[in-house]
Amino acid sequence: MKIRLSLPMTRIEGESRLIVTREKDRITNVIYNMATVRDFKGVIIGQHVKDLPKIVPRICGICPVAHRIGAIKAIETAFDIVTPPIAELLRELALLGEIIRSHTYSVFFSTLPDIMFLADQISRQDILGVDRIQPRVLPIASKLFNCADELITATAGNTNMAFNLIPGGILQNITITQQQELVQQLHAAISHIKWAKEYYSWLLSEIEGEIQKYTLPQPLFISCFDTDKNRFSGTDQVELISEDGAKKTFPCIRYPEILIEQDMLEAPTKIAYFESSNKSKHLLAGPHARLTTLQTRSTKGKKSHIGMPNLFYSGLLRLDEIEFAITNSIKLLETRWKTSDDISVALQPQTSSGASSVEAPRGTLLYRVDINNRGRIKDIDIRVPTELNAKAISLIVKKIMTICLDLGWTNEQTLERVKMAVRCFDPCVSCATQTDIRFREK
Amino acid sequence: MKKIGFFQLNSCSGCMFAVLSSTIFLDLLKSADIRLFRLISDVQTEDQFDVVFIEGGVTRNEEAALLRRLWTEGAKIITLGSCAVLGGIMSHSPNMHIDPVNKFVDPYATLPGCPPPQQLLGNLLMSAIDGIEFKLPEKNVCSECPFAQDQTYDVEITSLNALHPPKSCFLSEGILCLGPITRAGCGARCIKGATPCDGCLGALDRNLPSALANLFSVLKVSDSIREYAAIAFRYQKPELKFK
Ligand code: SF4
Ligand code: SF4
Ligand code: SF4
């Protein structure tokens, strides 16, 4: 007899579940399911375009800045606005703050307890368990949160609404005192992150054999990381990179043609496939994809072989990105900015469409918006990294299941490994469940 | 040690993240028995709570049933954030129904805000540990605003957005600000960041429609703004009352 169970996921953002099939006391199937629906499309359509940046930060409490910047950039492309450089800079700094904030949660609260558990360091698999064995971790996480909040607040106004960032520019500039204080605080965080990286690497080396199972079948990497300026706030180009290093670049406004939406059975989450592939290929967005973009840039023109991504290394890549975010913020804050009085340009709403791409902490975030002649939003489409990663998540869940069954592992061990694999993607349920409610009902 | 649970309903996780990044979070971890907080822990004891914090609005029957069960079992229910307290931004969805938590149970304490201001959140978390009563401020946002002395209701309101930092009260610059009818506690954080208040802490008199009607009766509000007045209900449906 088959029994289906629904188990809540833990240590990820938002409410999602593992739907588990058990036959004769053995687990035979696991599906990762995001059951909630959040109808942001319904809330947004009909609103004034100037309101869009105020609404979208509520899609996600962990990466509201990325959503706000995504919406702002889409509006700016619709109205052909070129923003003052100072606004671009503050946006990038705010996004770097958000990278620190989001990755701190993902590494210290979500994946570190897993690798410490696998390395036989802890029995209670959460931050409290970590704290009992390694008391440096929690204060470091707390300091990094604080650093991130200060950086976002100084540049974007506040951490959750980022109201200083508006279509056309910014409302007010950062002061020199704020710049100096931030630089000091960020410098103080460097030694902590270096220690965390060493510790994480050591743990990974302890479980080298075990984590080989978590290798993802070769994906198509997706990213819009601006390799010329080293910026997360992206260009208007999105890049797809395959295993042989071949690149396909397309303007983000074309993403609805390139990323084909498919209904994923039993997991009400949109997923995207690459159009030119006959056999559908899963995408991978996030730190692995950004690293791949950087690596292929250094071998311009040449095709390089891209290794299969091991999910457990994404924690280490996130720590690398935190370090990058800190050092790059210091660099940007220490630069003498040429600022004029013009920190924003006025908006003249007209019938138009715009799109944008931003590297949010979890990967590429895509916006497309249609606006009518009264400045009201006619239509909106938002693709978040977790949707782009949805098929890869389902593949790894199946792969881990098969391995565990072959090894004759207990149900408990199997589910534990599945959960660990899902967490490595740092999925965001709040983001991924904001899409069109009609799509889900279908 | 107080047995505490943190539950997320239909939400963005912003309120829970505010708890996580709060300055007293470390104290909370060590001085309370946290029995459920899925964002950070695998421990999942679903009953025997002294206090539960709820984030998000209610969209599913199972969420309403969970709230009723927790309440019946004697847990003190604390609603955290505008979604749980008022329904929040999702209550504007034309395709789905969302209710605030107080439609199903009587909260012991409420803290609105999107997300709640850190100072008040810290007080609330401490009160949950120590059992001291938590009270919301009984003043409006203007009372915390550096521009309160410039306030005037004589200028026609023609805009909902600022384009630069205000030199005086937003209302005197013709920009709608809901400070006069909104509960204090945030230190006027939006106004200090050059953005008018849009009422995330809810109406001071707990009845937004009547508070707005009063405000609009004394302000000179242009027709275009009146047409777009729904913006004043960003965090709740117009018919809802703030508990
Ligand atoms: S109140 Fe605001 S921050 Fe809290 S869950 Fe709702 S939208 Fe998110
Ligand atoms: S109306 Fe707004 S800007 Fe004016 S005093 Fe009140 S809170 Fe401040
Ligand atoms: S100023 Fe108004 S909208 Fe802003 S945090 Fe305070 S109550 Fe909320």
Side-chain angles (χ1 to χ4, degrees), chain A residues 10-11 13 15 37-39 42 47-48 51 54 58 61 105 125-126 131 138 163 171 374 376 437, chain B residues 10-13 26 30 38-39 41-42 44 90 93-96 114 161 165 227-228 231 234-235:
Chain A
T10 45
R11 287 190 277 126
E13 187 194 345
E15 282 283 310
V37 174
R38 302 176 71 234
D39 178 34
Q47 303 288 347
H48 196 277
D51 260 354
K54 296 183 189 171
R58 268 86 185 193
Y105 166 71
Q125 208 174 329
D126 64 13
D131 188 56
L138 205 42
F163 44 57
L171 285 169
R374 294 176 61 230
R376 298 291 178 107
I437 192 165
Chain B
N10 197 308
S11 66
C12 80
S13 307
L26 296 186
K30 289 174 183 172
R38 289 199 184 117
L39 191 63
S41 179
D42 299 340
Q44 299 203 47
M90 285 304 298
S93 162
N95 301 309
M96 62 189 287
C114 185
N161 297 288
E227 183 205 346
Y228 204 61
I231 203 64
R234 175 137 15 235
Y235 303 95

Side-chain angles (χ1 to χ4, degrees), chain B residues 113-114 141 182-183 186 188-191 195-202 235:
Chain B
C114 185
V141 173
T182 303
R183 186 180 299 276
C186 63
R189 63 182 170 189
C190 297
I191 294 95
T195 302
C197 170
D198 64 2
C200 81
L201 276 157
Y235 303 95

